[in-house]
Amino acid sequence: MAIEHDFFGLLESGPDGSIFWSENVEFGDQTVTVDLTAPDQDDVSEAALDVAAAMVSSLEAIDRTARNAMVSELDDRTSEVIEYILQQQEQLGDELEDLMVDVSGDVQIDVIRSLQLMSMTILADEHGGSEPFAVLEYALDPDATDDVLLVNLASDGQVQSVTSAD
């Protein structure tokens, strides 16, 4: 079977009933990998695909929302955002400044500004549920694939959490 959608085209299911769509999307001066997946196509509604398409189309606004959520976690010294920044400072030392897009003197804000959006994974079967509908993956160094921050979004675009990958 397959699902057809105006934005995603024909989403064919695999032998196990799962669906998967992947595309590289231009975002500023970089390319972001966008994946849409669901373990069972029967759990994917037209509304879920419409929301997913809207998220992909408004990637800039979604990115801004995610970065604002990271900034709001800077007040909590135990947040994963703070832990990530401290880990990057410890690992990279003086090389950290080389990865910055802007050096304002506020290292925490500079790190958040300098993070690159690497990918967005849309879990289409989680539309309207309590689990994340979309997960944005950010990295300071695109080659350090283990050192990432993940921003989990609900299907209404609200940030559920910011976590590290480790």
Side-chain angles (χ1 to χ4, degrees):
M1 285 185 49
I3 301 173
E4 187 148 1
H5 189 266
D6 290 341
F7 184 86
F8 297 105
L10 189 63
L11 296 169
E12 295 196 37
S13 61
D16 60 355
S18 65
I19 60 170
F20 183 79
W21 174 90
S22 185
E23 192 75 33
N24 287 327
V25 176
E26 294 303 314
F27 178 68
D29 60 351
Q30 68 181 55
T31 301
V32 176
T33 302
V34 178
D35 296 327
L36 179 133
T37 184
D40 187 346
Q41 79 168 16
D42 294 336
D43 293 337
V44 179
S45 66
E46 186 75 22
L49 294 175
D50 290 345
V51 169
M55 284 185 162
V56 174
S57 297
S58 62
L59 196 53
E60 189 173 322
I62 297 284
D63 175 61
R64 192 170 29 259
T65 298
R67 289 177 195 269
N68 287 339
M70 289 182 223
V71 169
S72 71
E73 294 213 358
L74 294 177
D75 293 338
D76 179 359
R77 296 220 178 273
T78 62
S79 76
E80 297 213 26
V81 175
I82 292 287
E83 292 293 323
Y84 177 84
I85 293 169
L86 292 173
Q87 174 191 10
Q88 294 303 303
Q89 286 176 303
E90 184 178 310
Q91 261 182 298
L92 297 169
D94 293 338
E95 295 174 24
L96 178 65
E97 203 168 292
D98 296 339
L99 296 172
M100 300 290 193
V101 293
D102 184 32
V103 179
S104 70
D106 185 337
V107 175
Q108 295 173 339
I109 295 294
D110 293 344
V111 167
I112 291 172
R113 278 188 196 145
S114 301
L115 289 170
Q116 292 185 41
L117 176 57
M118 304 305 294
S119 68
M120 177 164 95
T121 302
I122 299 168
L123 308 163
D125 59 318
E126 296 297 340
H127 181 255
S130 60
E131 295 296 315
F133 179 73
V135 180
L136 304 176
E137 180 181 332
Y138 289 90
L140 191 57
D141 179 358
D143 297 326
T145 55
D146 291 338
D147 296 331
V148 298
L149 277 176
L150 304 173
V151 178
N152 299 305
L153 302 173
S155 52
D156 64 0
Q158 296 300 308
V159 174
Q160 291 177 313
S161 64
V162 180
T163 61
S164 59
D166 40 282

